[in-house]
Amino acid sequence: MLPAAPVSSRLPVFPWDRLEPYKATAAAHPGGIVDLSVGTPVDPVPEKIRRALSDAADSPGYPTVWGTPALRDAITGWCERRLGARGLTHHEVLPVVGSKELVAWLPTQLGLGPGDRVAFPRLAYPTYEAGARLAGAEPVPYDTVTDLNPAGLRLLWLNSPSNPTGRVLTPGELRESVAWSRAHGVLLVSDECYLELGWDAEPYSALHPEIGGGDTSGLVTVHSLSKRSNLAGYRAAFLAGDGEVLGELLTIRKHGGMMVPAPVQAATVAALADDAHVAEQRERYAARRSALRTALEGRGFRIDHSEASLYLWATSDAPCWETVGELSRLGVLVAPGDFYGPAGARHVRVAFTATDERVAEAVRRLS
């Protein structure tokens, strides 16, 4: 028997379920669907990563929640090389079972509940709000960090580059957010899963010494291998930052058995050690981005922000569901902007993660 008020009652309707009728319309197109909605990787997993996974396939024992020393070395090395975060210790990194799991359960694992508040950007990945609601905390969308009321605020999410808008926070905006959160004793968690996918701007990490002053206190960053390495199916992600916070999470996650599988840990080591495959994947995405942007603008769309990430934040100044319907009749499926908050009601999010052939077909249909 379910309780009188099941946990699911705290949550909105799963947004992607609302898209199903439009997906059916797009799939009925004579040339088949071009799905630009979800943003799931479609390109092959690099051979060296697959080899590392298969070489570790004979792993009969339980993996550790903290990960192998080799994995922690790979994470700290990558953080120094790519984020500029020098001197991180193993106590300042933690592997997690995909970043969505972490986002959804972080407020609960931090002990937040009724009376606590969780802040996130007004246009944002919906799991930030879902995580607050799962914990029974109050979700608080914001436009500007420094305008927030700090009373009861326990957790502040940043997201740069942004999903869905592709907006990149400037170093000044990041410094201001870090200073504000530290002044008010609020844990700042920076979701940086698209950090290696900057196009018209160079994304900075909150752990860069110019932002946090080389001090991890009060800061945690979230990183994923799903996009940079085509590992969405591996559920490979990690945290870096405040050792006290990560130590608490490690203890909780040990009790919960939240372990990255041993072969995935080995694959993550291989992925983080190699920058060449990331550069190759960027080239693929850059070409698809350029082609879709040109086609959308030619059809009368305006592209806002979109200086990074894997999406174009597009608008024709029509209601987003009207645009979704129009494009679905062309066999092109996109995500309505209001999935990410009411402020997105006149935008759609267009992913450029489809194959070259499907992107070329979308361009043909849009032209």
Side-chain angles (χ1 to χ4, degrees):
M1 294 290 291
L2 289 172
V7 174
S8 63
S9 67
R10 303 174 190 170
L11 301 171
V13 174
F14 186 62
W16 295 98
D17 290 345
R18 296 165 55 203
L19 200 57
E20 285 301 314
Y22 299 90
K23 186 175 184 178
T25 298
H29 190 278
I33 188 173
V34 180
D35 192 343
L36 307 179
S37 63
V38 177
T40 188
V42 298
D43 298 303
V45 174
E47 173 61 29
K48 63 182 62 179
I49 301 175
R50 283 185 280 162
R51 191 182 318 118
L53 183 83
S54 62
D55 287 349
D58 187 15
S59 297
Y62 290 111
T64 66
V65 173
W66 199 16
T68 62
L71 175 56
R72 284 176 262 138
D73 280 342
I75 294 172
T76 56
W78 181 86
C79 287
E80 179 168 349
R81 188 174 76 253
R82 300 297 293 133
L83 308 184
R86 298 178 180 84
L88 290 183
T89 69
H90 283 197
H91 294 281
E92 294 171 297
V93 297
L94 180 65
V96 294
V97 192
S99 58
K100 182 169 186 174
E101 168 264 304
L102 182 281
V103 172
W105 293 108
L106 182 62
T108 297
Q109 291 177 4
L110 291 173
L112 275 59
D116 296 320
R117 301 165 71 234
V118 176
F120 49 85
R122 190 167 300 281
L123 277 167
Y125 184 44
T127 311
Y128 303 136
E129 178 176 356
R133 292 188 180 279
L134 284 169
E138 178 189 352
V140 181
Y142 68 83
D143 293 308
T144 305
V145 166
T146 53
D147 289 340
L148 281 165
N149 177 357
L153 191 63
R154 298 281 307 282
L155 174 60
L156 167 63
W157 285 102
L158 297 185
N159 181 209
S160 176
S162 164
N163 174 14
T165 70
R167 180 173 177 242
V168 173
L169 296 176
T170 66
E173 289 173 314
L174 286 170
R175 278 193 295 271
E176 190 173 50
S177 297
V178 169
W180 186 92
S181 63
R182 283 176 169 167
H184 294 288
V186 178
L187 176 65
L188 185 151
V189 182
S190 180
D191 181 346
E192 301 175 355
C193 289
Y194 296 92
L195 185 130
E196 293 194 277
L197 294 163
W199 311 109
D200 303 324
E202 183 64 35
Y204 271 67
S205 171
L207 291 183
H208 192 285
E210 292 182 15
I211 308 302
D215 176 11
T216 62
S217 62
L219 300 178
V220 173
T221 61
V222 183
H223 302 277
S224 168
L225 282 77
S226 294
K227 313 301 186 184
R228 72 184 294 279
S229 300
N230 301 331
L231 298 188
Y234 285 45
R235 310 315 301 136
F238 60 90
L239 308 178
D242 190 314
E244 183 177 356
V245 173
L246 298 193
E248 172 70 2
L249 293 176
L250 175 59
T251 298
I252 293 165
R253 294 169 72 86
K254 284 179 179 178
H255 282 283
M258 304 179 87
M259 300 171 281
V260 176
V264 175
Q265 292 190 30
T268 301
V269 172
L272 291 177
D274 176 58
D275 295 332
H277 77 275
V278 181
E280 291 172 10
Q281 189 60 43
R282 279 178 55 88
E283 290 180 7
R284 296 187 189 104
Y285 284 143
R288 295 166 186 166
R289 176 181 184 269
S290 177
L292 283 170
R293 180 167 194 150
T294 298
L296 288 164
E297 289 177 335
R299 197 176 176 86
F301 284 87
R302 184 181 75 246
I303 307 300
D304 291 333
H305 298 300
S306 305
E307 56 262 34
S309 83
L310 293 178
Y311 313 107
L312 295 168
W313 188 237
T315 181
S316 61
D317 289 322
C320 62
W321 285 99
E322 184 178 307
T323 302
V324 169
E326 173 194 341
L327 295 180
S328 72
R329 291 187 288 275
L330 297 177
V332 177
L333 188 68
V334 299
D338 68 1
F339 274 12
Y340 309 95
R346 301 186 81 83
H347 282 77
V348 293
R349 194 195 73 170
V350 184
F352 42 88
T353 53
T355 64
D356 291 344
E357 182 276 328
R358 288 287 85 186
V359 167
E361 178 63 14
V363 168
R364 187 189 69 76
R365 296 178 191 181
L366 291 167
S367 300

